[in-house]
Amino acid sequence: MQYMVRMTVTLPPDLDPEVREQLVAAEKAYSQRLQQEGRIAAIWRVAGQFANYCLFDVASHDELHELVSGLPMFGYIQAEVEALATHPNSIR
Ligand SMILES: O=C(O)C[C@H]1C=CC(=O)O1
């Protein structure tokens, strides 16, 4: 099952810079592991914003929730999820 998830990240402006650096590094490692596993099929930065679109390819709503809620930055992320179905005009 595929889901397009828009994540908007709002880190507190007064967050300790060291904690921020650790969060960013942990987020990168987690995200790259999911990409290597194919559970994040693609990721794009929204130009000019601290936001991204992630295409998840997972088995269930529950797996999606587990992965999104496991993001190190989860407490600072607003996630908007759209479930994707096959488009009848798709040639793939
Ligand atoms: O957009 C961000 O930097 C936050 C984040 C969520 C997944 C990921 O790889 O990075």
Side-chain angles (χ1 to χ4, degrees):
M1 301 168 80
Q2 292 189 312
Y3 302 86
M4 186 63 77
V5 182
R6 180 190 165 106
M7 298 184 205
T8 306
V9 187
T10 309
L11 295 180
D14 60 349
L15 190 64
D16 182 305
E18 229 173 81
V19 174
R20 187 186 201 282
E21 206 175 302
Q22 286 165 2
L23 259 181
V24 169
E27 191 80 4
K28 183 173 187 174
Y30 183 85
S31 170
Q32 291 189 338
R33 178 170 64 79
L34 297 188
Q35 290 171 63
Q36 279 156 4
E37 293 170 357
R39 296 197 285 175
I40 291 180
I43 181 170
W44 297 268
R45 174 63 77 212
V46 179
Q49 296 180 35
F50 195 178
N52 69 71
Y53 279 96
C54 262
L55 176 61
F56 280 85
D57 192 349
V58 293
S60 64
H61 298 348
D62 288 342
E63 184 180 355
L64 177 72
H65 181 71
E66 181 193 320
L67 298 183
V68 173
S69 62
L71 286 161
M73 286 185 184
F74 181 65
Y76 306 108
I77 286 175
Q78 183 191 327
E80 294 160 57
V81 177
E82 294 193 285
L84 303 177
T86 304
H87 195 288
N89 298 347
S90 174
I91 60 166
R92 291 188 196 90

